[in-house]
Amino acid sequence: MTPFLETALLGPVRVRDAWGDAPESASGGVARDASGGSPGGPSGDALGSAFGDAHRGASEGSSGGTHDGASQGAHGGTPRGASGKTENALGGAKPRTVLAALLLAEGRVVPDSRLIRVLWGECPPARAVAQLHTYASRLRAPLDGAARLERVGRGYRLSAVPGRLVSDHLLFTERAALGGALLRRGDARRAAAVLRSALGLWQGEALADTTEHLAQEERPWLEEARLTALEDRIEAELATGLPHGLVAELTGLVARHPLRERFRSLLMTAHCRAGQPAAALLQFHSGRELLADRLGVDPGPLLIRTFQQALSGELAA
């Protein structure tokens, strides 16, 4: 078995030593390193995940913690045991923020100015650069040789050693992209499986335990990617004939994201497939009123098309 390192940003930020078969990317290779390449290295199950073993096969519950009902990841260290993983100490929010910013850069140089901004916002301390160097130096031990932290000009670059680093956000991105592509090709069953695997990587709110400055900059696009993958997963499951269980899930999602038209469209489809066309039409009218009241706009093409299909009976099971 080959040792490798896991880095997690889709929940509490953490670094863990692991050993065994490193999880492969969605395309069949080992998950991309932080520089964006496909390093090769230990083989593994393309749908297996060192991050998501406990969550494989989960649906909405695996897609995120505080926002859509997922479990929260552990914050403390985990002793070596049957899981084959040891969590490495990172310290407080500041070193975690530096690590997260470097990982999100995917091998690009991150200037000191950006790192200082995500650490302290617009009011850095007088010795901000010196403190930044201290936080960066603390990362070398937990990275344990699986990634090289380099000083490049007035910035830092984190480069993965091929085959030694597995990053959950890169693995999620690859699997979500593959699942979406499979869905568009009409392979709904495989798409649903891949997307469940992608969403199972989430262990709570992204970038937990980092500064509010980094979270405000980076969390929105990560959350948008999660919601898009969730929409794709539900659409794939609807196509495989699972409407009844999805009605309750989609009802909750529409309540939490009332202006997100795709969730409402999917709920209308699920109602029709479950033999509840009147409920589908009610959802359309509720959404139209909400859009008019809050945004002053009419429903978009997707919601209108779903409404027309509900009226014509096209969406019936």
Side-chain angles (χ1 to χ4, degrees):
M1 292 192 294
T2 306
F4 60 96
L5 199 71
E6 297 175 351
T7 60
L9 303 183
L10 306 181
V13 174
R14 66 188 187 277
V15 174
R16 296 192 298 184
D17 288 319
W19 50 99
D21 288 335
E24 292 182 356
S25 69
S27 57
V30 174
R32 284 188 302 158
D33 62 28
S35 63
S38 297
S43 64
D45 177 3
L47 296 181
S49 169
F51 299 98
D53 287 340
H55 306 275
R56 188 178 293 120
S59 56
E60 157 59 4
S62 66
S63 61
T66 57
H67 26 255
D68 290 326
S71 61
Q72 293 290 333
H75 288 256
T78 303
R80 181 174 298 188
S83 64
K85 300 173 186 177
T86 303
E87 187 159 335
N88 297 341
L90 286 175
K94 295 291 198 296
R96 292 173 190 270
T97 296
V98 174
L99 175 62
L102 291 169
L103 286 168
L104 289 169
E106 299 183 24
R108 297 182 295 274
V109 176
V110 183
D112 289 352
S113 57
R114 167 160 171 75
L115 292 170
I116 288 170
R117 187 175 72 251
V118 298
L119 284 168
W120 293 286
E122 300 303 321
C123 300
R127 292 180 51 80
V129 174
Q131 290 185 44
L132 168 61
H133 295 336
T134 298
Y135 296 138
S137 68
R138 291 179 186 173
L139 297 177
R140 289 191 168 90
L143 289 171
D144 195 25
R148 291 182 293 270
L149 181 61
E150 305 168 281
R151 183 72 174 156
V152 181
R154 295 185 178 181
Y156 284 94
R157 177 172 59 207
L158 188 66
S159 304
V161 174
R164 289 287 316 280
L165 188 68
V166 177
S167 298
D168 66 345
H169 70 292
L170 296 178
L171 205 57
F172 167 78
T173 298
E174 292 181 351
R175 293 180 182 182
L178 176 61
L182 288 168
L183 178 62
R184 289 187 292 274
R185 292 207 301 261
D187 193 346
R189 194 168 299 279
R190 285 182 62 206
V194 173
L195 290 160
R196 281 194 293 268
S197 175
L199 291 162
L201 296 168
W202 286 73
Q203 300 292 296
E205 192 170 44
L207 303 175
D209 302 339
T210 65
T211 65
E212 61 178 321
H213 312 294
L214 180 69
Q216 287 172 356
E217 286 192 20
E218 302 289 354
R219 188 177 289 153
W221 71 265
L222 288 168
E223 175 65 4
E224 176 61 27
R226 186 189 74 86
L227 290 174
T228 298
L230 181 54
E231 290 168 335
D232 284 348
R233 190 221 92 206
I234 292 173
E235 183 175 334
E237 290 186 348
L238 276 172
T240 62
L242 299 172
H244 293 280
L246 293 172
V247 168
E249 179 181 355
L250 282 162
T251 298
L253 287 167
V254 168
R256 286 189 289 276
H257 308 279
L259 300 177
R260 199 171 180 93
E261 293 190 40
R262 192 176 175 196
F263 278 145
R264 193 175 296 273
S265 171
L266 290 167
L267 177 55
M268 291 170 63
T269 302
H271 275 308
C272 288
R273 299 272 170 82
Q276 303 162 348
L281 299 179
L282 180 61
Q283 277 297 328
F284 172 79
H285 292 301
S286 297
R288 182 176 61 182
E289 291 176 7
L290 197 63
L291 288 166
D293 290 344
R294 293 198 186 178
L295 303 179
V297 298
D298 294 323
L302 173 62
L303 210 53
I304 291 173
R305 182 170 64 252
T306 307
F307 174 66
Q308 292 169 342
Q309 290 172 328
L311 281 175
S312 68
E314 288 181 56
L315 298 178

